Amino acid sequence: MHELSITESILKQSLTEAKKNRAKIIKKIKLLVGEATSIVPDCVRFYFDTLKQETIAKDAILEIETKPLVIRCPKCKTQFKDLDLTCNCQAGIEIVSGQELMIESLEIE
Ligand SMILES: [Zn+2]
């Protein structure tokens, strides 16, 4: 159910933004979702299609771009794509990308 509240907040943000710009319709919402967020894009799409009815986003297309998880050693700055891979520094890890959850762009009219 995690995706439902996320989708609600995305739609709310989009509607607020559209209102600020005096838009009449929202044509497209582009979303950036990091792999590490464990959000299922298909779920978000499903809820979005239900929630958007009765709003100015009812014909909007939801485009979801997923960002892969990239982690890095804070010491030698080597980047890894898998938590099982590590260097020999034993310095822990830093997350470079993969935790995004944001509206990248909004097409309004
Ligand atoms: Zn290292």
Side-chain angles (χ1 to χ4, degrees):
M1 290 312 277
H2 171 69
E3 276 84 359
L4 177 60
S5 54
I6 287 163
T7 313
E8 276 170 346
S9 104
I10 289 159
L11 185 64
K12 207 173 148 196
Q13 273 181 58
S14 305
L15 293 171
T16 307
E17 197 55 38
K19 206 174 168 186
K20 252 195 261 170
N21 291 287
R22 298 173 194 279
K24 289 190 179 64
I25 49 168
I26 296 177
K27 292 167 80 179
K28 192 161 128 184
I29 299 169
K30 190 171 174 192
L31 202 63
L32 264 191
V33 177
E35 245 176 34
T37 59
S38 76
I39 291 164
V40 183
D42 282 346
C43 273
V44 176
R45 271 194 205 97
F46 173 79
Y47 289 128
F48 180 75
D49 283 342
T50 312
L51 295 170
K52 73 180 184 180
Q53 307 302 328
E54 314 293 319
T55 75
I56 61 164
K58 67 177 177 356
D59 295 317
I61 298 163
L62 181 66
E63 198 177 294
I64 301 175
E65 189 186 321
T66 45
K67 293 279 267 182
L69 176 66
V70 178
I71 52 179
R72 176 171 76 178
C73 165
K75 208 169 163 190
C76 69
K77 308 290 180 196
T78 311
Q79 289 195 354
F80 310 98
K81 293 202 186 288
D82 196 310
L83 286 168
D84 298 333
L85 302 169
T86 47
C87 53
N88 297 316
C89 304
Q90 311 254 320
I93 55 154
E94 249 172 31
I95 294 179
V96 181
S97 82
Q99 286 186 310
E100 300 80 355
L101 175 60
M102 55 178 281
I103 296 169
E104 196 187 53
S105 65
L106 208 57
E107 253 180 59
I108 50 175
E109 214 172 77

